[in-house]
Amino acid sequence: AQSVAQPEDQVNVAEGNPLTVKCTYSVSGNPYLFWYVQYPNRGLQFLLKYITGDNLVKGSYGFEAEFNKSQTSFHLKKPSALVSDSALYFCAVRAPLSGNTPLVFGKGTRLSVIA
Amino acid sequence: KAGVTQTPRYLIKTRGQQVTLSCSPISGHRSVSWYQQTPGQGLQFLFEYFSETQRNKGNFPGRFSGRQFSNSRSEMNVSTLELGDSALYLCASSLARGSRQETQYFGPGTRLLVL
């Protein structure tokens, strides 16, 4: 069964500094990996995904993520954080179509960008 | 293009009652998934529908059920409500199942409070 770990419940970063939100996964086969962001009282917004190809994936709002197969990681990054980036971030994984393969989410990491 | 819509947005019920939540996917999307989000358990997969058929089901009791109509709209039903069913219920739609377009776009959610 697939699983996702987001080791940090909370990440604090100063505005203008680079940010990293960590994610590691476990899945059989080549994974589909996703990052979503959730603002207060809102649903999840899609940021980016990795299906195959270039290990560095660029997404919305200046975010990017690097797929590392050997470390089974898919960390979310942004070169310069904004206060408006403060939100709850979820990493998710889905195995290639094979039987029962729902989207599995991590517990989420709360990002706080301080002005 | 309109996003995923969910109705109602907020709902208050009492224990033992039943509830029906509705989700209208993005136009052209044929796959609809449902998730339950709670502070303690995070995001948990409920079920997925594609072409009016349930394709995947999460680890929830039989009180949770759903269906999808020919226009891809979906409903989920929870019978004999329990206090622990209080949660944000999120619906997500995607273009197709198992393809490279497998990005799920989420609605704003229905917040259910069971008293």
Side-chain angles (χ1 to χ4, degrees):
Chain A
Q2 56 262 36
S3 65
V4 174
Q6 293 182 243
E8 300 156 317
D9 292 335
Q10 174 94 29
V11 170
N12 298 317
V13 64
E15 188 177 29
N17 282 2
L19 69 87
T20 298
V21 182
K22 295 180 180 178
C23 171
T24 59
Y25 66 90
S26 174
V27 69
S28 299
N30 296 317
Y32 296 160
L33 293 158
F34 304 82
W35 275 101
Y36 288 86
V37 59
Q38 186 176 35
Y39 297 99
N41 301 313
R42 302 278 294 277
L44 274 67
Q45 293 182 31
F46 169 74
L47 279 178
L48 52 79
K49 68 179 177 183
Y50 172 83
I51 302 297
T52 188
D54 194 351
N55 289 344
L56 185 63
V57 180
K58 294 188 183 296
S60 307
Y61 312 120
F63 284 94
E64 58 187 29
E66 186 168 12
F67 171 65
N68 188 316
K69 189 172 184 178
S70 63
Q71 296 185 5
T72 61
S73 67
F74 190 57
H75 301 330
L76 181 69
K77 300 181 180 183
K78 188 174 182 181
S80 178
L82 301 173
V83 172
S84 57
D85 293 331
S86 298
L88 188 57
Y89 290 80
F90 290 95
C91 180
V93 66
R94 185 165 188 162
L97 190 61
S98 172
N100 193 6
T101 56
L103 196 60
V104 175
F105 286 86
K107 292 289 188 182
T109 297
R110 187 165 300 280
L111 173 67
S112 180
V113 181
I114 304 161
Chain B
K1 186 183 283 190
V4 178
T5 58
Q6 292 186 245
T7 57
R9 292 292 312 279
Y10 303 93
L11 207 50
I12 299 176
K13 292 285 187 180
T14 56
R15 280 181 299 174
Q17 287 187 309
Q18 74 166 16
V19 66
T20 298
L21 312 182
S22 180
C23 170
S24 293
I26 293 171
S27 178
H29 285 194
R30 297 171 62 193
S31 177
V32 173
S33 297
W34 289 89
Y35 296 85
Q36 182 195 65
Q37 185 179 21
T38 59
Q41 299 298 319
L43 276 157
Q44 293 185 285
F45 170 75
L46 280 157
F47 23 66
E48 176 188 7
Y49 288 89
F50 181 79
S51 294
E52 302 178 66
T53 302
Q54 186 179 93
R55 300 300 179 125
N56 289 316
K57 190 177 190 303
N59 189 25
F60 278 82
R63 300 185 297 107
F64 291 81
S65 63
R67 58 178 177 170
Q68 187 180 34
F69 302 95
S70 58
N71 61 358
S72 293
R73 190 177 71 84
S74 177
E75 289 181 347
M76 67 163 281
N77 183 76
V78 188
S79 62
T80 319
L81 284 166
E82 300 177 359
L83 296 180
D85 297 333
S86 295
L88 180 67
Y89 290 88
L90 293 166
C91 166
S93 76
S94 59
L95 190 63
R97 180 170 180 264
S99 72
R100 288 172 186 265
Q101 290 94 350
E102 195 63 32
T103 297
Q104 294 191 357
Y105 294 93
F106 284 78
T110 294
R111 186 164 297 280
L112 172 65
L113 177 61
V114 182
L115 301 175

